Amino acid sequence: MHSEEDFERVVRSSPPDKLIAVEWFATWCKSCKEVYPKLCMRAGSDLKKEVLFVKCNVDELKALSKAEGVTGMPWFSLYRGGEEVAAWHNPATKVKFLDANIALALKHPDGALTLSPNGGELIHTGVRPPREETRKK
């Protein structure tokens, strides 16, 4: 993604049955460079049938990354139907949780997901509130 318009078109306008995984990165980020080959393996796997993987450069999209709550890199966000369903800081040491996190989001399409105390795994905490109640102000 190279513009907020791209993000709006691909992520925010996505259908409710499509999961989108966004990696927020910076070219100067060492951990981002370590994570990238691992992310490419996932994007090239069977997951690509169910998940669209995209990358957003925080230096190109400063305002957007701030609005999306990116506070560290690499940062991963999962979106469904244009709404963020989960987001977390995912250094190279925690990339092992990525498959499980994506699988959990696929298993619970209407589920509320939160980061576990270990800081790497997502856990299912019930049903997400209706879209109107979750929209950012």
Side-chain angles (χ1 to χ4, degrees), residues 1 12 17 29 39 42 44 58 61-62 71 79 86-87 97 99 122 124:
M1 305 260 146
R12 290 282 182 224
D17 62 337
C29 169
L39 182 63
R42 283 153 182 87
V58 297
L61 300 168
K62 287 180 183 178
T71 58
Y79 295 84
F97 297 117
D99 290 340
L122 293 176
H124 179 247

Side-chain angles (χ1 to χ4, degrees), residues 62-115:
K62 287 180 183 178
L64 180 62
S65 62
K66 184 176 180 180
E68 292 299 308
V70 177
T71 58
M73 285 168 293
W75 186 267
F76 285 92
S77 302
L78 298 177
Y79 295 84
R80 186 184 298 284
E83 295 289 319
E84 183 179 273
V85 296
W88 68 98
H89 177 237
N90 204 80
T93 58
K94 303 229 180 208
V95 78
K96 62 187 174 192
F97 297 117
L98 189 57
D99 290 340
N101 290 346
I102 290 172
L104 187 67
L106 288 169
K107 182 178 178 182
H108 301 284
D110 294 326
L113 305 173
T114 191
L115 202 56

Side-chain angles (χ1 to χ4, degrees), residues 8-74:
E8 182 68 30
R9 181 178 44 79
V10 174
V11 177
R12 290 282 182 224
S13 300
S14 65
D17 62 337
K18 187 66 173 181
L19 186 66
I20 300 180
V22 178
E23 177 200 8
W24 300 89
F25 76 100
T27 56
W28 46 263
C29 169
K30 181 180 178 192
S31 191
C32 296
K33 291 174 184 174
E34 292 173 22
V35 167
Y36 183 70
K38 297 171 185 175
L39 182 63
C40 288
M41 288 187 327
R42 283 153 182 87
S45 71
D46 288 339
L47 282 177
K48 71 180 178 184
K49 295 174 187 167
E50 299 178 83
V51 182
L52 175 63
F53 291 88
V54 298
K55 293 175 61 81
C56 291
N57 184 326
V58 297
D59 292 323
E60 288 180 6
L61 300 168
K62 287 180 183 178
L64 180 62
S65 62
K66 184 176 180 180
E68 292 299 308
V70 177
T71 58
M73 285 168 293

